[in-house]
Amino acid sequence: MGPDVPLLNDYKQEFFLKRFPQTVLGGPRFKLGYCAPPYIYVNQIILFLTPWVLGGVGTLLYQLDIIKDYYTAALSGGLMLVTALILQMANLYAREKTVTVERMQIQNTLRDEDEYEFSSCVGSETIKFIIPGKKYIVNTVFHSFLAGVMCGLGTWYLLPNRITLLYSNIGGTVVIFVFGWVTICIGEYSLIINTATETATFQALDTYEITALMRPFYIFVFIAVDLAHRFTVNIPVLEQTNQILHIVFLFLPFLWALGILPPLDALFLWGMEQVLEFGLGGSPMSSNTRLLVMFLISAGTAIASYFIPSTVGVVLFMTGFGFILSLNLSEIGLAFKHTMISHLASNNSKWSKSKSSGPRIHFGWREFFFYLTVLTLALIEASLLHRFAGFSAFSKASPQAIVSYILIILLIVMWILREIQGVYLFGIFRNPFYPKDVRTMTVFMETQRRLMKVGVVRRILLTLVSPFAMIAFLSLDSSLQSLHSVSICIGFTRTFRMVWQNTENALLEMVIVSIVQMLLFNTDVWWNRSLDTGIRLLLAGVIRDRLLQLISKLQFAVAVLLTSWTEKKQRRKSTASLITLNIVFFPIVLAFIAVSALLSSPMLPLFTLPIFLIGFPRPIRSWPGTVGATACVCSDTMYYQQVVPSLATALQSALASGSLGLSLPGSHYLCRFQDRLMWILVLERGFTYCCVNIKGLELQETSCHTAEAHRVDEVFEMAFEHQEHAETFSLNHHFGNILTPCTALPVRLYSDARNVLSGIIDSHENLKQLKDDFLKVLVWILVQYCYKKSKICEKLDKTTKNKEGSFPLTQPKAFDSAVEKPRPIKDEDSFSVDTIADWTDDSDLFDLEPSRTRERKETEPLEAAPRTLLSVPGSVEMESAVGTLQETAPEDKLYKAVLGLPAVDKGKKQEVVSLPLVEFSCSYSELLSIPEEWRTAPIPTSKLNEMRQRFPEDWYHFVLSQLDFFHLKEKPSNLLEDITKDKALKELYVHGVLSCCFGLFGLDNTVPAPSHVFRAYTGGIPWCVGLDWLTGKPELFQLALKAFRYTFKLMVDKASLGPVENFKELINYLEEYESDWYIGLVSDIEWQQAVLQEKPYLFSLGHDPNMGVYTGRVLTLQELLVQVGKLNDEAVRGQWANLSWELLYATNDDEERYSIQAHPVLLRNLTVQAADPPLGYPVYSSAALHVPLL
């Protein structure tokens, strides 16, 4: 796809040109896309200007001194309320009038959905088109009342005399009056007539019609300031603010149209988050509920501190609650409850068997005493220092200044220790202390141990030393000697909590304030005269945050601007013009970026082009939904489900040691291992814990995904696979990329090895040996199956055995239900033609089975009972002449017709083995007896005698000799010898094994072809005479299929590792397959279960019809290094803001749109994937994972 792909296709361009004017004007639809009567436009204009007319009546009466100003507001508001109710009643009447007609109409699917047929100026269709109405009756009344209030207060707000008093300028009064009423008309129309789609859209659906309240809310905010100015004593600042806001009021329509002002839900969440973080010292939270609860508790703490009468009490209160609120209280409560339940009922299966999704916070007595000790020491330190040493003013030799020097040293040491943990210093120079090469796990870990020791030192300094040093600095401050000051309560409540909640940033803020105090301590400046230490720290925190955001936004803007030209695939025809405009209007662009940083809102690059707009402020999570609630689940999801707990454990040490850099809420990380990409978002941070969300991106790589993943591999390879002869301080050649490598983490996950089996599966010697090995493997599997069954028998009948005093020699039928019932296959799978047709040209090289077969296996239950099938005309039907077959199948069953089989002489009956009466020479042989129906295969006697010679008798005796029968309390000493010599038992296994061989390979003794082997492995076995009998025994069929898959894996292992020397080695192979391997197909449910249960090895066989080769895939569970890099937070937020605007407002969901194309520097395609559904499409998204850092 070229760089000049249309930003919006033709249909979307037309749609956008219709929607945007509607958004600007607040709802009127003047561009419909089809011919409409003139009265449609006239009616909308009249309704748009109605509030102005009603307000104008009151304004005129006031200007003529007929009524007072407040009566003017009441009159205009009352008229607007009546008008709004009349309009809503008209809509309800129109809907009731047409409801019966609509039910009888036949829907015309060919008609444009936006086209209406209008009959008259006030017809039902006209009313419903202009006034869509409200979904809820409550909103009908509430919005009408709100419209009246807004019109009344708006009239009061824009009274000409009032405006003249503010500006003393007639021209300014006229301009503000005219354009101010335009603003109010826009707000009224969106509230009561038709709500326009807002460019600032946070929620995909407006369930409760909150969007209609957005514009009136901002109008009320401006009016509230004017009312405060009216009813308060002259305050110069308030008057100046009112004057400025009257001017800004005129530009509200432009702010709404550009999407700078946030919708109400985003506004309140963003506001609570900002106040909690910068006003109350907390952290952004992982959910809206936690945010609301923590905001209320934190605000209550700040308010309560104002009423404490003692200075020592204030210090103790702030110190104690600052520490307590910085803990993960909800998780600690759950962990403590879990610990108590585990102690009281250690055998509680609910807790012991539950699988954790990550390193849950463990809270026992050790953790309790640790937190209690830290809290006690902090309270003692704060009270003693404040009581005995907190009265001296700040000077270069004061106790507080001495503590300041200690804080400066701590900041420098911790900063150095954090930087040398990562692979790059400052993101530019390669760290000489970092391991040179990470390709070998053992070498990397040995070299990494030195840095781990450094990380431990840094963790101690961060967790224990720094907080106590900062508490000493705060307790010694003289500002705490004065009580009942709002600024002191807010500033110090925030700071005492920041000490624990965000120790690194708190340390930086205190060092900055200390240095400024040292420079200005004896000068009479505003900083010293008007501000106490708490407010200084608050301002330092806000400036620090906004400055870091500004730097990140500038880096993102420069990257977008430069790569639009330097990356040839991103160079459009308009690129040169856009770059020129950015240079010419550089001050305006810089102002936009600065305002965006000041509001802590994302900087929106329109269509990811160098067209920079200010996005609306939103929570740091960027998305409104619950974290991890949705994902595009597919067959690849299980690989991320398996790796997330181990990755979270690895993040535990990385976050604590500082190797991931400064991890703040809103930080994004990208992890890479083979074809897996994991996206990490830090949601919340506190004392000894961090809350993250981990997403998994798709494994089926598209061209765009592949291009960006290749660049990610290049960035990591250059950082981690450092050659010995390279320079010590080599540069990061991908410095402009939004991804900066941090470190490599040891994670327990599956490595994926895929190879072509040419030379193995098509080897004549291997295939010839396959049949003999199959008999051996099947013998072992059948013996193990019966042996395990006998163990279950012993456990189930233990009570009965004690009562009767003897061991039961017969196995109840209930034993069969104790063994997991495997899946039988469908009869249709036995036809080669069916499954061959399933292969398509689009099949993947490592696709392990045909797509239709996979669908059938996943969606349809497979029947075990034989089914009646109609004959194909002209075919030959098989007829049995033996009564034994009549016992295992219904008499009215028709045998499946198969084209091309030789004719059968009906007058001549085939010789078939009869079922003899089994008499065991050893009574314990019954424990290993196979079910009776497994010995009824229709094998001719002559053929059975011929096949009997192939039975591996020596192997059979060896397998029996390996059994121990430990579960039998009373057994003869020569039990194994007696069972081995039992000829009747051997005959059972001869019949059972040869019957399975007959079902899988037929009566011919030819070497199977590779295609036959592949189809037998996948379960789509080519039809042969005994297949119908075998598939009629689903449990036996699954055992035979399992034996065949084990045999195939054994063939691959012998070809790779060498031949099997003896029976003992063969037993070891099979036992390893049974315990450590899952050998099957990727599409099997058991494959997914094996991955989630962390089976050490998995093997699958596939076929590529295009290349004509067979492929093998092996997953190996081991601890390997996952490379982690930090993403530019503002680049991610900016691209997500554009994605939200483009899909929710412009509805540009074209899969080949420009803004989703590969961008190797911005990682645009991967960033879009990582967004929350429905806008993004991660295949996995975890719930909020609370990672302990203690």
Side-chain angles (χ1 to χ4, degrees):
M1 188 66 66
D4 285 305
V5 59
L7 302 176
L8 290 170
N9 58 38
D10 295 337
Y11 172 74
K12 295 299 182 183
Q13 287 179 15
E14 182 182 357
F15 176 80
F16 177 78
L17 293 177
K18 288 191 297 184
R19 171 171 278 191
F20 188 69
Q22 183 183 355
T23 301
V24 173
L25 296 175
R29 288 180 276 187
F30 294 132
K31 185 176 177 58
L32 302 179
Y34 57 90
C35 184
Y39 56 76
I40 295 296
Y41 305 103
V42 174
N43 287 350
Q44 291 184 89
I45 293 174
I46 292 174
L47 291 176
F48 182 82
L49 296 176
T50 297
W52 196 345
V53 173
L54 300 179
V57 172
T59 302
L60 181 61
L61 295 176
Y62 171 75
Q63 291 297 121
L64 296 175
D65 291 330
I66 297 177
I67 57 177
K68 300 293 184 180
D69 54 356
Y70 42 86
Y71 289 127
T72 299
L75 175 64
S76 300
L79 292 175
M80 188 64 218
L81 173 61
V82 173
T83 304
L85 290 174
I86 292 173
L87 293 175
Q88 294 302 313
M89 292 304 107
N91 172 265
L92 291 175
Y93 172 76
R95 283 193 285 183
E96 288 292 332
K97 184 178 180 180
T98 58
V99 64
T100 54
V101 179
E102 288 178 352
R103 287 175 182 171
M104 297 176 62
Q105 275 185 341
I106 299 175
Q107 184 179 5
N108 182 7
T109 57
L110 299 178
R111 191 177 67 177
D112 186 0
E113 60 181 2
D114 292 329
E115 188 173 346
Y116 287 77
E117 295 180 1
F118 304 104
S119 57
S120 66
C121 180
V122 291
S124 300
E125 289 294 334
T126 303
I127 294 175
K128 289 195 300 180
F129 173 76
I130 297 177
I131 312 173
K134 306 296 180 181
K135 291 190 292 185
Y136 306 106
I137 298 297
V138 174
N139 285 340
T140 300
V141 178
F142 176 65
H143 290 183
S144 299
F145 174 77
L146 208 61
V149 174
M150 183 167 62
C151 184
L153 293 178
T155 303
W156 205 4
Y157 184 71
L158 295 175
L159 288 175
N161 289 351
R162 176 67 178 171
I163 299 174
T164 304
L165 288 175
L166 284 175
Y167 298 99
S168 302
N169 186 295
I170 301 298
T173 300
V174 173
V175 172
I176 292 176
F177 180 79
V178 172
F179 288 100
W181 269 108
V182 171
T183 300
I184 291 179
C185 289
I186 290 174
E188 292 281 4
Y189 199 98
S190 65
L191 177 63
I192 202 64
I193 308 297
N194 183 25
T195 303
T197 304
E198 300 289 350
T199 51
T201 303
F202 189 56
Q203 300 275 0
L205 298 175
D206 184 22
T207 307
Y208 302 105
E209 298 176 314
I210 299 176
T211 305
L213 303 175
M214 171 184 163
R215 301 192 183 201
F217 172 80
Y218 288 105
I219 291 175
F220 281 125
V221 169
F222 282 75
I223 294 175
V225 176
D226 181 69
L227 293 177
H229 180 220
R230 286 174 184 267
F231 296 106
T232 55
V233 184
N234 289 334
I235 302 175
V237 175
L238 190 59
E239 182 178 358
Q240 294 173 2
T241 303
N242 195 18
Q243 291 175 346
I244 295 173
L245 290 183
H246 267 79
I247 298 175
V248 176
F249 188 77
L250 311 183
F251 295 94
L252 277 180
F254 297 99
L255 298 178
W256 289 327
L258 293 176
I260 297 176
L261 297 178
L264 297 186
D265 47 358
L267 174 66
F268 285 110
L269 291 175
W270 170 82
M272 283 194 295
E273 197 173 79
Q274 293 293 307
V275 173
L276 178 61
E277 183 176 2
F278 299 104
L280 301 172
S283 164
M285 307 304 285
S286 58
S287 67
N288 296 337
T289 304
R290 288 171 63 91
L291 176 63
L292 178 61
V293 171
M294 185 56 71
F295 174 80
L296 294 176
I297 295 175
S298 302
T301 302
I303 294 171
S305 65
Y306 180 81
F307 297 98
I308 298 176
S310 168
T311 58
V312 176
V314 169
V315 171
L316 290 175
F317 182 82
M318 291 179 177
T319 304
F321 271 90
F323 175 80
I324 293 172
L325 294 180
S326 68
L327 301 176
N328 194 0
L329 297 176
S330 61
E331 285 296 308
I332 287 177
L334 291 175
F336 188 74
K337 180 181 178 182
H338 174 208
T339 304
M340 292 299 100
I341 292 177
S342 299
H343 283 303
L344 295 175
S346 59
N347 57 347
N348 192 329
S349 61
K350 178 180 178 181
W351 294 102
S352 60
K353 294 183 180 180
S354 62
K355 180 176 177 61
S356 173
S357 59
R360 307 291 296 185
I361 293 179
H362 176 73
F363 192 82
W365 293 111
R366 185 180 62 179
E367 288 76 16
F368 174 77
F369 283 120
F370 171 78
Y371 289 130
L372 183 61
T373 303
V374 172
L375 176 60
T376 304
L377 293 177
L379 293 174
I380 293 173
E381 179 193 17
S383 59
L384 292 179
L385 290 177
H386 175 75
R387 180 68 181 83
F388 297 106
F391 296 95
S392 59
F394 186 87
S395 64
K396 290 186 177 181
S398 64
Q400 191 177 21
I402 296 173
V403 176
S404 300
Y405 300 139
I406 297 175
L407 293 179
I408 294 173
I409 295 173
L410 277 175
L411 177 66
I412 295 173
V413 172
M414 288 179 57
W415 178 75
I416 294 174
L417 295 181
R418 187 187 70 203
E419 284 296 319
I420 65 175
Q421 294 285 314
V423 66
Y424 282 121
L425 301 175
F426 316 109
I428 303 175
F429 305 102
R430 196 184 193 282
N431 182 5
F433 301 102
Y434 199 82
K436 301 296 182 184
D437 199 341
V438 299
R439 286 174 290 188
T440 306
M441 176 75 174
T442 54
V443 176
F444 172 81
M445 293 306 297
E446 289 178 2
T447 314
Q448 184 74 356
R449 284 195 183 95
R450 293 175 299 175
L451 295 180
M452 292 173 64
K453 296 176 182 178
V454 173
V456 171
V457 174
R458 182 183 179 277
R459 186 185 306 186
I460 294 173
L461 293 177
L462 181 67
T463 307
L464 297 176
V465 179
S466 296
F468 285 101
M470 287 186 284
I471 287 177
F473 177 84
L474 295 174
S475 302
L476 293 171
D477 193 82
S478 58
S479 302
L480 287 173
Q481 300 302 324
S482 58
L483 288 175
H484 303 298
S485 170
V486 175
S487 62
I488 289 177
C489 291
I490 294 176
F492 279 93
T493 300
R494 169 193 177 273
T495 307
F496 271 107
R497 182 172 176 182
M498 277 279 292
V499 165
W500 307 101
Q501 188 88 50
N502 197 335
T503 307
E504 291 184 80
N505 283 342
L507 183 61
L508 176 62
E509 294 166 14
M510 288 190 190
V511 168
I512 292 174
V513 170
S514 300
I515 293 175
V516 173
Q517 275 187 298
M518 291 177 186
L519 297 176
L520 304 175
F521 75 94
N522 58 354
T523 56
D524 186 20
V525 294
W526 168 77
W527 178 268
N528 284 338
R529 184 177 62 253
S530 304
L531 301 179
D532 58 74
T533 304
I535 298 300
R536 293 172 194 162
L537 291 169
L538 189 151
L539 292 177
V542 174
I543 294 172
R544 170 197 53 79
D545 179 77
R546 298 310 192 251
L547 189 60
L548 291 177
Q549 285 195 38
L550 179 63
I551 295 172
S552 296
K553 285 178 167 64
L554 285 173
Q555 290 176 343
F556 176 45
V558 171
V560 173
L561 193 64
L562 293 180
T563 54
S564 64
W565 181 263
T566 57
E567 296 286 336
K568 292 184 179 181
K569 292 186 178 181
Q570 309 301 324
R571 193 181 303 169
R572 299 172 59 88
K573 294 179 181 178
S574 59
T575 299
S577 302
L578 291 175
I579 293 176
T580 303
L581 289 174
N582 275 276
I583 295 174
V584 172
F585 295 100
F586 171 73
I588 297 177
V589 174
L590 189 60
F592 274 26
I593 297 175
V595 172
S596 176
L598 188 63
L599 294 176
S600 187
S601 62
M603 183 186 64
L604 192 153
L606 197 63
F607 299 107
T608 64
L609 292 172
I611 304 173
F612 302 109
L613 302 176
I614 302 172
F616 66 87
R618 63 199 79 191
I620 204 72
R621 302 193 309 272
S622 295
W623 307 112
T626 305
V627 173
T630 55
C632 302
V633 179
C634 65
S635 58
D636 297 332
T637 303
M638 59 181 174
Y639 299 111
Y640 291 110
Q641 287 178 318
Q642 179 274 323
V643 76
V644 160
S646 179
L647 178 60
T649 303
L651 287 174
Q652 181 177 355
S653 59
L655 289 169
S657 64
S659 58
L660 297 182
L662 186 60
S663 301
L664 300 174
S667 298
H668 295 262
Y669 296 92
L670 187 66
C671 304
R672 177 69 167 168
F673 177 78
Q674 290 186 349
D675 58 350
R676 271 152 282 184
L677 281 164
M678 290 147 284
W679 192 286
I680 301 173
L681 168 62
V682 179
L683 301 169
E684 186 180 333
R685 188 76 187 259
F687 184 63
T688 67
Y689 84 95
C690 183
C691 185
V692 300
N693 166 239
I694 301 178
K695 295 176 182 175
L697 307 188
E698 62 181 359
L699 300 184
Q700 301 296 329
E701 298 181 349
T702 60
S703 57
C704 296
H705 181 105
T706 303
E708 293 187 357
H710 180 67
R711 177 57 65 91
V712 171
D713 292 335
E714 285 183 359
V715 172
F716 282 134
E717 182 179 352
M718 182 165 291
F720 294 110
E721 298 180 10
H722 191 68
Q723 302 299 325
E724 292 291 339
H725 60 271
E727 299 178 4
T728 303
F729 287 94
S730 59
L731 296 176
N732 178 10
H733 297 285
H734 296 282
F735 177 68
N737 198 296
I738 70 167
L739 176 67
T740 303
C742 292
T743 187
L745 301 177
V747 179
R748 185 174 174 82
L749 77 173
Y750 282 101
S751 62
D752 195 347
R754 312 186 187 204
N755 46 66
V756 177
L757 299 179
S758 298
I760 298 178
I761 194 173
D762 51 3
S763 170
H764 181 78
E765 293 297 326
N766 291 340
L767 295 174
K768 183 179 179 181
Q769 186 66 28
L770 181 69
K771 272 191 173 182
D772 296 335
D773 287 341
F774 172 73
L775 295 178
K776 294 179 181 178
V777 175
L778 185 58
V779 167
W780 183 82
I781 285 182
L782 289 178
V783 170
Q784 292 296 318
Y785 171 79
C786 297
Y787 179 67
K788 291 176 182 178
K789 222 173 184 184
S790 68
K791 288 185 176 181
I792 297 174
C793 167
E794 173 68 15
K795 292 179 181 178
L796 294 178
D797 284 358
K798 187 175 182 180
T799 305
T800 307
K801 182 176 62 176
N802 292 336
K803 289 181 179 180
E804 296 178 358
S806 62
F807 190 86
L809 297 180
T810 58
Q811 299 184 29
K813 293 183 179 179
F815 298 161
D816 294 338
S817 63
V819 181
E820 182 182 358
K821 288 289 185 182
R823 287 181 316 182
I825 68 162
K826 280 191 173 183
D827 291 339
E828 289 85 352
D829 284 344
S830 62
F831 286 99
S832 304
V833 177
D834 286 350
T835 356
I836 290 176
D838 292 337
W839 291 102
T840 63
D841 292 337
D842 298 330
S843 298
D844 184 68
L845 174 63
F846 294 98
D847 200 0
L848 301 187
E849 62 172 325
S851 58
R852 284 177 53 195
T853 304
R854 185 185 310 121
E855 291 175 5
R856 286 199 298 266
K857 288 194 173 193
E858 291 179 353
T859 60
E860 301 179 10
L862 302 176
E863 300 177 11
R867 299 184 305 167
T868 302
L869 298 176
L870 297 178
S871 301
V872 178
S875 63
V876 179
E877 297 185 7
M878 299 296 297
E879 181 179 357
S880 173
V882 182
T884 55
L885 294 180
Q886 302 294 336
E887 298 174 0
T888 59
E891 291 183 357
D892 59 347
K893 176 186 176 182
L894 297 176
Y895 284 91
K896 184 177 295 183
V898 181
L899 295 173
L901 286 181
V904 179
D905 188 357
K906 293 185 178 181
K908 182 180 179 180
K909 295 185 178 180
Q910 292 178 305
E911 291 183 326
V912 182
V913 174
S914 60
L915 190 63
L917 181 64
V918 179
E919 295 182 0
F920 296 114
S921 60
C922 176
S923 61
Y924 287 91
S925 296
E926 182 70 26
L927 297 175
L928 300 179
S929 175
I930 62 176
E932 181 179 333
E933 62 271 14
W934 292 5
R935 313 193 297 268
T936 59
I939 307 176
T941 306
S942 59
K943 196 66 180 177
L944 179 62
N945 294 331
E946 179 183 343
M947 296 174 63
R948 187 187 297 273
Q949 301 174 1
R950 296 166 51 193
F951 183 78
E953 187 171 347
D954 293 342
W955 166 255
Y956 166 76
H957 292 156
F958 181 79
V959 170
L960 292 181
S961 67
Q962 300 300 306
L963 303 178
D964 49 40
F965 290 101
F966 287 150
H967 58 282
L968 300 180
K969 292 184 178 180
E970 297 179 1
K971 59 182 178 180
S973 58
N974 57 346
L975 174 62
L976 290 178
E977 183 179 353
D978 293 342
I979 293 178
T980 304
K981 292 179 179 180
D982 194 331
K983 294 183 179 180
L985 182 63
K986 188 188 78 171
E987 284 299 316
L988 289 183
Y989 277 91
V990 170
H991 275 274
V993 170
L994 296 182
S995 297
C996 293
C997 187
F998 166 63
L1000 290 178
F1001 298 103
L1003 297 175
D1004 296 333
N1005 196 23
T1006 57
V1007 176
S1011 59
H1012 184 110
V1013 172
F1014 172 72
R1015 297 191 59 74
Y1017 184 95
T1018 58
I1021 302 171
W1023 191 89
C1024 62
V1025 177
L1027 182 60
D1028 286 340
W1029 173 85
L1030 184 58
T1031 54
K1033 315 293 183 296
E1035 197 168 3
L1036 178 61
F1037 176 79
Q1038 287 299 323
L1039 291 174
L1041 181 60
K1042 178 181 178 181
F1044 186 86
R1045 289 175 174 177
Y1046 281 15
T1047 306
F1048 181 83
K1049 181 63 174 66
L1050 180 64
M1051 181 184 75
V1052 174
D1053 287 345
K1054 289 198 301 183
S1056 304
L1057 306 176
V1060 177
E1061 299 294 339
N1062 49 50
F1063 286 164
K1064 185 62 177 176
E1065 186 177 353
L1066 180 57
I1067 285 282
N1068 292 338
Y1069 268 112
L1070 297 179
E1071 289 178 348
E1072 182 183 356
Y1073 294 161
E1074 186 71 18
S1075 61
D1076 297 341
W1077 286 79
Y1078 175 76
I1079 302 173
L1081 299 175
V1082 171
S1083 58
D1084 292 342
I1085 297 178
E1086 294 82 3
W1087 179 282
Q1088 300 181 16
Q1089 294 172 349
V1091 170
L1092 297 179
Q1093 294 168 3
E1094 295 194 338
K1095 205 79 169 175
Y1097 306 97
L1098 292 90
F1099 175 82
S1100 180
L1101 176 65
H1103 178 251
D1104 177 29
N1106 297 324
M1107 298 178 61
V1109 296
Y1110 296 94
T1111 56
R1113 181 181 183 184
V1114 178
L1115 298 185
T1116 305
L1117 183 66
Q1118 52 188 323
E1119 192 172 45
L1120 296 169
L1121 292 175
V1122 173
Q1123 297 160 338
V1124 185
K1126 188 172 185 179
L1127 296 160
N1128 185 317
D1129 308 335
E1130 296 303 324
V1132 175
R1133 295 182 67 204
Q1135 293 182 76
W1136 280 356
N1138 172 72
L1139 176 68
S1140 178
W1141 177 89
E1142 198 171 347
L1143 266 67
L1144 296 181
Y1145 182 77
T1147 66
N1148 186 24
D1149 55 354
D1150 187 357
E1151 293 182 355
E1152 299 297 331
R1153 64 185 183 273
Y1154 173 77
S1155 60
I1156 203 175
Q1157 300 297 314
H1159 196 302
V1161 175
L1162 300 181
L1163 304 182
R1164 188 165 54 194
N1165 186 269
L1166 298 180
T1167 305
V1168 169
Q1169 285 186 51
D1172 281 7
L1175 306 186
Y1177 45 98
V1179 299
Y1180 172 78
S1181 181
S1182 71
L1185 301 176
H1186 298 268
V1187 181
L1189 305 181
L1190 182 59

